[in-house]
PDB file of all heavy atoms in Angstrom:
ATOM      1  N   GLY A 227      72.143 101.180 109.655  1.00 97.00           N
ATOM      2  CA  GLY A 227      70.716 101.443 109.684  1.00 97.00           C
ATOM      3  C   GLY A 227      70.214 101.610 111.105  1.00 97.00           C
ATOM      4  O   GLY A 227      70.943 101.383 112.075  1.00 97.00           O
ATOM      5  N   LYS A 228      68.957 102.003 111.211  1.00 97.00           N
ATOM      6  CA  LYS A 228      68.305 102.175 112.514  1.00 97.00           C
ATOM      7  C   LYS A 228      67.161 101.184 112.630  1.00 97.00           C
ATOM      8  O   LYS A 228      66.365 101.004 111.698  1.00 97.00           O
ATOM      9  CB  LYS A 228      67.789 103.603 112.665  1.00 97.00           C
ATOM     10  CG  LYS A 228      67.397 103.952 114.089  1.00 97.00           C
ATOM     11  CD  LYS A 228      67.215 105.444 114.260  1.00 97.00           C
ATOM     12  CE  LYS A 228      67.014 105.802 115.734  1.00 97.00           C
ATOM     13  NZ  LYS A 228      66.903 107.262 115.925  1.00 97.00           N
ATOM     14  N   ILE A 229      67.089 100.534 113.778  1.00 97.00           N
ATOM     15  CA  ILE A 229      66.066  99.516 114.009  1.00 97.00           C
ATOM     16  C   ILE A 229      64.720 100.187 114.247  1.00 97.00           C
ATOM     17  O   ILE A 229      64.574 101.039 115.135  1.00 97.00           O
ATOM     18  CB  ILE A 229      66.428  98.639 115.217  1.00 97.00           C
ATOM     19  CG1 ILE A 229      67.781  97.960 115.004  1.00 97.00           C
ATOM     20  CG2 ILE A 229      65.342  97.598 115.474  1.00 97.00           C
ATOM     21  CD1 ILE A 229      68.328  97.279 116.246  1.00 97.00           C
ATOM     22  N   LEU A 230      63.728  99.815 113.442  1.00 97.00           N
ATOM     23  CA  LEU A 230      62.363 100.337 113.613  1.00 97.00           C
ATOM     24  C   LEU A 230      61.499  99.382 114.427  1.00 97.00           C
ATOM     25  O   LEU A 230      60.756  99.805 115.307  1.00 97.00           O
ATOM     26  CB  LEU A 230      61.724 100.584 112.243  1.00 97.00           C
ATOM     27  CG  LEU A 230      62.421 101.586 111.323  1.00 97.00           C
ATOM     28  CD1 LEU A 230      61.624 101.763 110.035  1.00 97.00           C
ATOM     29  CD2 LEU A 230      62.606 102.929 112.022  1.00 97.00           C
ATOM     30  N   ARG A 231      61.582  98.097 114.105  1.00 97.00           N
ATOM     31  CA  ARG A 231      60.842  97.077 114.837  1.00 97.00           C
ATOM     32  C   ARG A 231      61.712  95.835 114.935  1.00 97.00           C
ATOM     33  O   ARG A 231      62.587  95.614 114.093  1.00 97.00           O
ATOM     34  CB  ARG A 231      59.532  96.720 114.114  1.00 97.00           C
ATOM     35  CG  ARG A 231      58.492  97.827 114.069  1.00 97.00           C
ATOM     36  CD  ARG A 231      57.344  97.477 113.114  1.00 97.00           C
ATOM     37  NE  ARG A 231      56.803  96.145 113.359  1.00 97.00           N
ATOM     38  CZ  ARG A 231      56.339  95.346 112.396  1.00 97.00           C
ATOM     39  NH1 ARG A 231      56.350  95.734 111.122  1.00 97.00           N
ATOM     40  NH2 ARG A 231      55.851  94.149 112.692  1.00 97.00           N
ATOM     41  N   SER A 232      61.452  95.009 115.950  1.00 96.00           N
ATOM     42  CA  SER A 232      62.291  93.829 116.119  1.00 96.00           C
ATOM     43  C   SER A 232      61.553  92.715 116.834  1.00 96.00           C
ATOM     44  O   SER A 232      60.790  92.952 117.767  1.00 96.00           O
ATOM     45  CB  SER A 232      63.556  94.187 116.914  1.00 96.00           C
ATOM     46  OG  SER A 232      64.310  93.027 117.208  1.00 96.00           O
ATOM     47  N   GLU A 233      61.792  91.503 116.385  1.00 96.00           N
ATOM     48  CA  GLU A 233      61.378  90.295 117.091  1.00 96.00           C
ATOM     49  C   GLU A 233      62.604  89.442 117.425  1.00 96.00           C
ATOM     50  O   GLU A 233      62.487  88.242 117.667  1.00 96.00           O
ATOM     51  CB  GLU A 233      60.391  89.498 116.233  1.00 96.00           C
ATOM     52  CG  GLU A 233      59.057  90.215 116.018  1.00 96.00           C
ATOM     53  CD  GLU A 233      58.111  89.447 115.109  1.00 96.00           C
ATOM     54  OE1 GLU A 233      58.549  88.401 114.556  1.00 96.00           O
ATOM     55  OE2 GLU A 233      56.959  89.882 114.944  1.00 96.00           O
ATOM     56  N   ARG A 234      63.752  90.064 117.457  1.00 95.00           N
ATOM     57  CA  ARG A 234      65.022  89.369 117.684  1.00 95.00           C
ATOM     58  C   ARG A 234      65.647  89.859 118.981  1.00 95.00           C
ATOM     59  O   ARG A 234      65.793  91.061 119.188  1.00 95.00           O
ATOM     60  CB  ARG A 234      65.965  89.643 116.517  1.00 95.00           C
ATOM     61  CG  ARG A 234      67.306  88.934 116.582  1.00 95.00           C
ATOM     62  CD  ARG A 234      67.249  87.629 115.838  1.00 95.00           C
ATOM     63  NE  ARG A 234      68.563  86.993 115.769  1.00 95.00           N
ATOM     64  CZ  ARG A 234      68.908  86.105 114.860  1.00 95.00           C
ATOM     65  NH1 ARG A 234      68.040  85.740 113.940  1.00 95.00           N
ATOM     66  NH2 ARG A 234      70.096  85.540 114.878  1.00 95.00           N
ATOM     67  N   ASP A 235      66.030  88.947 119.842  1.00 94.00           N
ATOM     68  CA  ASP A 235      66.669  89.320 121.104  1.00 94.00           C
ATOM     69  C   ASP A 235      67.935  90.123 120.833  1.00 94.00           C
ATOM     70  O   ASP A 235      68.737  89.780 119.951  1.00 94.00           O
ATOM     71  CB  ASP A 235      67.029  88.077 121.913  1.00 94.00           C
ATOM     72  CG  ASP A 235      65.813  87.374 122.496  1.00 94.00           C
ATOM     73  OD1 ASP A 235      64.738  88.007 122.532  1.00 94.00           O
ATOM     74  OD2 ASP A 235      65.942  86.197 122.898  1.00 94.00           O
ATOM     75  N   GLY A 236      68.127  91.184 121.604  1.00 94.00           N
ATOM     76  CA  GLY A 236      69.319  92.010 121.490  1.00 94.00           C
ATOM     77  C   GLY A 236      69.223  93.118 120.474  1.00 94.00           C
ATOM     78  O   GLY A 236      70.129  93.954 120.396  1.00 94.00           O
ATOM     79  N   PHE A 237      68.164  93.151 119.688  1.00 96.00           N
ATOM     80  CA  PHE A 237      67.973  94.193 118.675  1.00 96.00           C
ATOM     81  C   PHE A 237      66.767  95.036 119.085  1.00 96.00           C
ATOM     82  O   PHE A 237      65.624  94.679 118.805  1.00 96.00           O
ATOM     83  CB  PHE A 237      67.757  93.575 117.296  1.00 96.00           C
ATOM     84  CG  PHE A 237      68.983  92.915 116.727  1.00 96.00           C
ATOM     85  CD1 PHE A 237      69.343  91.631 117.130  1.00 96.00           C
ATOM     86  CD2 PHE A 237      69.784  93.565 115.800  1.00 96.00           C
ATOM     87  CE1 PHE A 237      70.469  91.009 116.616  1.00 96.00           C
ATOM     88  CE2 PHE A 237      70.912  92.954 115.282  1.00 96.00           C
ATOM     89  CZ  PHE A 237      71.259  91.675 115.693  1.00 96.00           C
ATOM     90  N   LYS A 238      67.037  96.158 119.735  1.00 96.00           N
ATOM     91  CA  LYS A 238      65.969  96.993 120.259  1.00 96.00           C
ATOM     92  C   LYS A 238      65.652  98.153 119.318  1.00 96.00           C
ATOM     93  O   LYS A 238      66.574  98.766 118.769  1.00 96.00           O
ATOM     94  CB  LYS A 238      66.366  97.543 121.630  1.00 96.00           C
ATOM     95  CG  LYS A 238      66.552  96.475 122.696  1.00 96.00           C
ATOM     96  CD  LYS A 238      66.912  97.104 124.036  1.00 96.00           C
ATOM     97  CE  LYS A 238      67.083  96.036 125.111  1.00 96.00           C
ATOM     98  NZ  LYS A 238      67.436  96.627 126.428  1.00 96.00           N
ATOM     99  N   PRO A 239      64.371  98.466 119.123  1.00 97.00           N
ATOM    100  CA  PRO A 239      64.024  99.618 118.298  1.00 97.00           C
ATOM    101  C   PRO A 239      64.743 100.882 118.774  1.00 97.00           C
ATOM    102  O   PRO A 239      64.870 101.123 119.978  1.00 97.00           O
ATOM    103  CB  PRO A 239      62.512  99.731 118.481  1.00 97.00           C
ATOM    104  CG  PRO A 239      62.067  98.333 118.763  1.00 97.00           C
ATOM    105  CD  PRO A 239      63.168  97.734 119.599  1.00 97.00           C
ATOM    106  N   GLY A 240      65.219 101.648 117.799  1.00 96.00           N
ATOM    107  CA  GLY A 240      65.974 102.863 118.107  1.00 96.00           C
ATOM    108  C   GLY A 240      67.471 102.659 118.089  1.00 96.00           C
ATOM    109  O   GLY A 240      68.233 103.632 118.052  1.00 96.00           O
ATOM    110  N   GLY A 241      67.924 101.396 118.116  1.00 96.00           N
ATOM    111  CA  GLY A 241      69.359 101.118 118.090  1.00 96.00           C
ATOM    112  C   GLY A 241      69.907 101.136 116.679  1.00 96.00           C
ATOM    113  O   GLY A 241      69.172 101.133 115.684  1.00 96.00           O
ATOM    114  N   TYR A 242      71.231 101.155 116.581  1.00 96.00           N
ATOM    115  CA  TYR A 242      71.920 101.149 115.293  1.00 96.00           C
ATOM    116  C   TYR A 242      72.433  99.745 114.981  1.00 96.00           C
ATOM    117  O   TYR A 242      72.865  99.014 115.876  1.00 96.00           O
ATOM    118  CB  TYR A 242      73.112 102.108 115.299  1.00 96.00           C
ATOM    119  CG  TYR A 242      72.748 103.563 115.453  1.00 96.00           C
ATOM    120  CD1 TYR A 242      72.861 104.197 116.687  1.00 96.00           C
ATOM    121  CD2 TYR A 242      72.312 104.307 114.363  1.00 96.00           C
ATOM    122  CE1 TYR A 242      72.538 105.534 116.837  1.00 96.00           C
ATOM    123  CE2 TYR A 242      71.993 105.647 114.498  1.00 96.00           C
ATOM    124  CZ  TYR A 242      72.110 106.255 115.733  1.00 96.00           C
ATOM    125  OH  TYR A 242      71.790 107.582 115.877  1.00 96.00           O
TER     126      TYR A 242
END
Side-chain angles (χ1 to χ4, degrees):
K228 193 166 188 177
I229 302 170
L230 300 183
R231 293 169 50 214
S232 174
E233 294 177 354
R234 183 93 174 203
D235 289 344
F237 291 81
K238 296 181 179 180
Y242 295 100

